[in-house]
Amino acid sequence: MNYEAYFTSELAQLKDDGRYRIFAELERKAGAFPAAQQYVGDDSRPVTVWCSNDYLGMGQHPAVLGAMHETLDRCGAGAGGTRNISGTTHSHVLLEAELADLHGKEAALLFTSGYVSNWAALGTLGARIPGCVILSDALNHASMIEGIRHSRAPVQKFVHNSPEDLDRRLSALDPSLPKLVAFESVYSMDGDIAPIAEILDVCERHGAMSYLDEVHGVGLYGPRGGGVAEREGLMDRVTVIEGTLGKAFGVMGGYIAASAALCDFVRSFASGFIFTTALPPALAAGATASIRHLKHSNVERERHRDRVAQVRRRLDAMGIPTLDNPSHIIPIMVGDAHKCKRISDWLLEHHGIYLQPINYPTVPVGTERLRLTPSPVHTDADIDKLVSSLSEIWSMCELARRAMAA
């Protein structure tokens, strides 16, 4: 086989389909984000980032940076090993205690990313619980799907956000079988929110464990940033809450929060935990500082809600199509991969607005979009520029469409 020719042909097909992804080389400006610098070859230019998952701007918060600087100077760069072999530092222990407290659970377990926490936890639970059947929401994240697949447990997909379909599927199973229901709170591409209470009702009726991915909810929802389940007073009913430190908390890492026995079980059997180097202590300290701050401060969340609402209103007034949802994520619907990339490229080139196109396989073909994530650090001037620029390119695209139709 000519391997290089195969690689080249597959990449060419991606480009023909408009799905080839080009990374924007950015340098965030601490204290000035969403302002950043984009590097193109030997040149650079200022840009405003509108698609970051640093939802609250905590990646530049003084408390976070201060904790990371202090820990780096005191402890050095890396953890020095896996958690089992010299890599469990005081910073990791404090962070896990903070996470357990955030979610009202007995314990928490830290991983190197949200992807790894889903893969390792779901993979371990599904594989090690004898006869376990996993019920997975049809739109679950790739990390959840990979963990479930890795477990080799029998799996059924239930209709997205449908407690009714979940109930039908659980009713058809042997009541004596162990069961685990995996779903998310906020779905990151459409921005819809799961009916958590109704799903938990079904789980409890059938004796199923519940596994809730809150990666797009933690920090943003609830009086202390515990996520949508905290906002709705449901955390105590969820068996496992999974989250990330790399989005609203602004740092890096993933975790699960659950009973002490469940966390210890995953810690003891998950290869994705056992055989990987621990997060650097400075990252753990920064995450702890971020969580502690957001447990007591609602300023960022209130400002965030205001920015999201203002952008939604302005886009609606301009007639720019968005998916209506109750979350902080604003999907601008384009519906064509080539057009989506052209709009993204044009915004970056002509207005210094960075808004990444989202296409297949992240979303189905025909639902390509620009995923907009307003933050507390976007100013009124930033919003004015975004809306006017989007209106300009949308008008140009509409004129081009009419010309082709004629």
Side-chain angles (χ1 to χ4, degrees):
M1 181 179 185
N2 187 330
Y3 300 109
E4 292 300 312
Y6 173 73
F7 300 149
T8 301
S9 67
E10 289 295 296
L11 291 170
Q13 186 62 56
L14 276 182
K15 292 173 183 177
D16 289 344
D17 293 343
R19 297 190 289 116
Y20 182 74
R21 300 180 182 193
I22 297 172
F23 295 155
E25 183 181 345
L26 304 175
E27 185 173 274
R28 287 158 48 110
K29 295 184 177 179
F33 191 76
Q37 203 75 8
Q38 182 197 11
Y39 288 85
V40 183
D42 294 330
D43 299 322
S44 67
R45 60 182 175 184
V47 298
T48 302
V49 179
W50 275 99
C51 53
S52 174
N53 282 341
D54 186 0
Y55 291 134
L56 298 177
M58 291 302 294
Q60 62 181 346
H61 194 281
V64 175
L65 299 184
M68 293 184 72
H69 280 298
E70 190 276 331
T71 306
L72 180 65
D73 290 341
R74 180 166 47 87
C75 302
T82 66
R83 290 290 301 274
N84 288 321
I85 305 175
S86 81
T88 294
T89 71
H90 187 54
S91 296
H92 296 96
V93 174
L94 291 177
L95 175 53
E96 287 174 337
E98 205 69 47
L99 289 165
D101 175 78
L102 176 67
H103 294 294
K105 298 297 185 185
E106 291 179 340
L109 188 65
L110 183 63
F111 296 85
T112 50
S113 73
Y115 191 105
V116 173
S117 58
N118 270 333
W119 179 83
L122 284 167
T124 301
L125 293 171
R128 302 287 306 194
I129 299 174
C132 184
V133 179
I134 299 178
L135 289 296
S136 176
D137 187 284
L139 293 188
N140 273 344
H141 189 264
S143 59
M144 302 176 77
I145 295 168
E146 285 298 318
I148 293 166
R149 181 182 296 140
H150 177 72
S151 78
R152 299 186 179 179
V155 59
Q156 294 188 28
K157 285 196 298 185
F158 62 92
V159 173
H160 176 55
N161 277 352
S162 175
E164 297 78 15
D165 188 51
L166 176 62
D167 188 54
R168 283 192 294 270
R169 292 177 179 277
L170 285 169
S171 296
L173 294 173
D174 182 340
S176 66
L177 286 175
K179 297 167 283 286
L180 186 152
V181 175
F183 63 110
E184 302 181 41
S185 59
V186 181
Y187 288 83
S188 63
M189 288 300 118
D190 288 352
D192 55 335
I193 294 179
I196 300 174
E198 291 83 353
I199 290 175
L200 293 177
D201 288 343
V202 175
C203 291
E204 291 162 0
R205 191 154 57 244
H206 294 280
M209 295 184 295
S210 52
Y211 184 104
L212 177 62
D213 178 316
E214 280 264 34
V215 297
H216 295 278
V218 291
L220 297 169
Y221 301 94
R224 299 200 310 159
V228 180
E230 184 197 25
R231 184 187 70 181
E232 299 178 6
L234 299 169
M235 289 195 300
D236 62 311
R237 295 175 59 189
V238 182
T239 309
V240 182
I241 295 175
E242 185 268 348
T244 184
L245 306 169
K247 293 182 170 61
F249 292 129
V251 191
M252 181 185 176
Y255 65 89
I256 60 170
S259 70
L262 190 150
C263 287
D264 198 16
F265 180 85
V266 174
R267 180 190 72 88
S268 299
F269 292 110
S271 62
F273 177 86
I274 295 169
F275 296 106
T276 192
T277 299
L279 284 173
L283 287 177
T288 300
S290 182
I291 295 163
R292 286 176 177 168
H293 176 82
L294 289 173
K295 280 180 177 178
H296 300 101
S297 173
N298 274 306
V299 172
E300 293 81 6
R301 285 187 283 271
E302 290 169 0
R303 169 81 172 172
H304 183 241
R305 288 193 292 269
D306 172 78
R307 301 288 85 183
V308 171
Q310 185 175 154
V311 171
R312 283 192 192 278
R313 285 195 302 268
R314 298 284 298 277
L315 293 178
D316 288 345
M318 289 288 185
I320 293 173
T322 63
L323 271 185
D324 188 26
N325 64 55
S327 77
H328 59 284
I329 295 165
I330 305 177
I332 299 173
M333 303 308 292
V334 179
D336 177 89
H338 292 283
K339 183 179 176 182
C340 205
K341 187 175 187 309
R342 282 198 302 272
I343 293 173
S344 174
D345 290 347
W346 188 89
L347 288 171
L348 190 57
E349 181 180 352
H350 294 278
H351 294 285
I353 291 173
Y354 176 48
L355 192 50
Q356 183 70 17
I358 306 294
N359 50 39
Y360 181 83
T362 307
V363 296
V365 173
T367 68
E368 291 82 4
R369 66 200 65 185
L370 300 166
R371 181 179 175 274
L372 184 61
T373 54
S375 76
V377 292
H378 284 102
T379 66
D380 288 342
D382 291 332
I383 295 174
D384 289 341
K385 184 177 180 180
L386 170 75
V387 173
S388 63
S389 301
L390 277 169
S391 178
E392 183 181 345
I393 185 60
W394 224 264
S395 297
M396 291 165 56
C397 290
E398 180 61 20
L399 288 172
R401 185 192 67 80
R402 291 177 183 176
M404 290 179 64

